[in-house]
Amino acid sequence: MLTTLSVAVAALGGTALGLPNPTATDDTPVRILPQFWEFNITSLSGPGCPDFGLTDRGPFVTRPTFGLNTVDGSEIYYWHFAYPSLRTSIEPGTPSASIWCETTLSYAELDSNMVPVAKPGYHLKLHKNGTAMLASYELDDGVEAKWTFTYFPEGKREVVDTIIIDGPRSGNSYRDISPVNGLVQWPLPNCGLGTIRYRTQLTLTAKKDGARGSVSSEKVEYKDQAGWYGVQQGVSYDWEQCSS
Ligand SMILES: *[C@@H]1O[C@H](CO)[C@@H](O)[C@H](O)[C@H]1NC(C)=O
Ligand SMILES: *[C@@H]1O[C@H](CO)[C@@H](O)[C@H](O)[C@H]1NC(C)=O
């Protein structure tokens, strides 16, 4: 069972706040999570995210969007990050196309005044359930869309998740999750705060002559301008208690 944590908190400011499950009751399973937490985007590079630091473009900027978590004791958390410029297409004569973005996030555990806690209690562990991607597709038969998510844990080997979609596929609002082939989770080096870095790549390939394809997100209007809401990458995690 999934529940939404918080929708578009500070969506324009590049910050996302996590809130504990507001409907917890005595018969819900024991849960291991801080009171509040936050992710900020601290840097972006690549053609799929040329908008770092812009704040007044409404839904058109790369930004944190919403959190999602299980409430059945399995402790699967996601935070989603929207990338309006991470989109591409192919057509006859251009049988492949690719675009990427590299993101750095900062993470902190917060107290009830929404400032980093003096004595953090929880260690964030990334990659609880692979990587999710919410996107729109128009893929002919014979077109492959491939998402490659490369995480760069500090001092450790890269971890790569992939999602492969084979056309035909058409429509908005797909949510796909990378297969978890032997779960690899890693805690951030420090208790209560840290840095997360990953690269997101989208590649479209036509395996049949003349095939067309595009991957994007829903069209939205903001201040009389049309734009893309952004494909949304869901980064998964959970926590363990810090050893004191
Ligand atoms: C996020 O950014 C805000 C505003 O700059 C800052 O106050 C906060 O400490 C940052 N949090 C993290 C986790 O980097
Ligand atoms: C966890 O990942 C699997 C695919 O590996 C997926 O079927 C399942 O829905 C995911 N769980 C959540 C809570 O997203």
Side-chain angles (χ1 to χ4, degrees), residues 5-116:
L5 273 174
S6 145
V7 179
V9 174
L12 311 185
T15 295
L17 284 174
L19 305 171
N21 171 19
T23 57
T25 61
D26 286 350
D27 50 10
T28 55
V30 175
R31 308 193 57 201
I32 301 172
L33 76 168
Q35 199 182 3
F36 299 99
W37 66 97
E38 174 180 60
F39 296 98
N40 286 349
I41 294 176
T42 56
S43 82
L44 293 170
S45 63
C49 47
D51 53 5
F52 182 67
L54 299 180
T55 52
D56 68 345
R57 288 215 239 155
F60 306 142
V61 296
T62 303
R63 65 201 187 282
T65 48
F66 70 102
L68 198 65
N69 71 302
T70 54
V71 290
D72 58 2
S74 59
E75 300 299 279
I76 299 172
Y77 295 80
Y78 293 91
W79 209 281
H80 296 82
F81 300 88
Y83 297 88
S85 301
L86 198 62
R87 54 178 203 273
T88 193
S89 61
I90 55 171
E91 49 199 270
T94 317
S96 75
S98 184
I99 188 162
W100 60 275
C101 171
E102 207 172 289
T103 303
T104 308
L105 306 175
S106 62
Y107 160 79
E109 190 179 321
L110 306 179
D111 65 18
S112 50
N113 297 317
M114 300 301 140
V115 298

Side-chain angles (χ1 to χ4, degrees), residues 2 70 76 78 129 175 177-180:
L2 281 170
T70 54
I76 299 172
Y78 293 91
N129 202 48
R175 176 173 187 258
I177 300 178
S178 66
V180 180

Side-chain angles (χ1 to χ4, degrees), residues 1-243:
M1 186 178 168
L2 281 170
T3 188
T4 302
L5 273 174
S6 145
V7 179
V9 174
L12 311 185
T15 295
L17 284 174
L19 305 171
N21 171 19
T23 57
T25 61
D26 286 350
D27 50 10
T28 55
V30 175
R31 308 193 57 201
I32 301 172
L33 76 168
Q35 199 182 3
F36 299 99
W37 66 97
E38 174 180 60
F39 296 98
N40 286 349
I41 294 176
T42 56
S43 82
L44 293 170
S45 63
C49 47
D51 53 5
F52 182 67
L54 299 180
T55 52
D56 68 345
R57 288 215 239 155
F60 306 142
V61 296
T62 303
R63 65 201 187 282
T65 48
F66 70 102
L68 198 65
N69 71 302
T70 54
V71 290
D72 58 2
S74 59
E75 300 299 279
I76 299 172
Y77 295 80
Y78 293 91
W79 209 281
H80 296 82
F81 300 88
Y83 297 88
S85 301
L86 198 62
R87 54 178 203 273
T88 193
S89 61
I90 55 171
E91 49 199 270
T94 317
S96 75
S98 184
I99 188 162
W100 60 275
C101 171
E102 207 172 289
T103 303
T104 308
L105 306 175
S106 62
Y107 160 79
E109 190 179 321
L110 306 179
D111 65 18
S112 50
N113 297 317
M114 300 301 140
V115 298
V117 284
K119 268 196 142 202
Y122 298 87
H123 229 133
L124 188 81
K125 288 164 67 193
L126 277 172
H127 208 241
K128 173 73 176 196
N129 202 48
T131 306
M133 179 51 82
L134 284 65
S136 304
Y137 297 84
E138 288 298 336
L139 306 178
D140 283 355
D141 184 33
V143 174
E144 177 194 272
K146 181 177 183 184
W147 292 102
T148 309
F149 311 101
T150 307
Y151 294 88
F152 304 98
E154 284 174 59
K156 291 200 175 67
R157 281 182 58 182
E158 297 168 9
V159 175
V160 182
D161 286 339
T162 54
I163 295 172
I164 292 176
I165 314 290
D166 283 310
R169 172 185 267 198
S170 172
N172 287 324
S173 311
Y174 281 93
R175 176 173 187 258
D176 298 284
I177 300 178
S178 66
V180 180
N181 301 319
L183 187 65
V184 198
Q185 267 197 281
W186 63 95
L188 299 187
N190 294 306
C191 184
L193 82 174
T195 298
I196 297 158
R197 191 162 71 86
Y198 59 84
R199 179 186 166 105
T200 311
Q201 175 138 11
L202 167 64
T203 305
L204 279 175
T205 312
K207 297 177 169 175
K208 278 187 180 170
D209 282 348
R212 293 171 190 276
S214 73
V215 178
S216 62
S217 53
E218 289 191 57
K219 287 262 176 63
V220 285
E221 290 249 330
Y222 179 73
K223 292 186 177 169
D224 294 332
Q225 262 192 291
W228 281 270
Y229 188 83
V231 300
Q232 296 183 78
Q233 177 172 342
V235 173
S236 68
Y237 54 95
D238 69 353
W239 288 273
E240 63 191 10
Q241 234 116 28
C242 300
S243 46

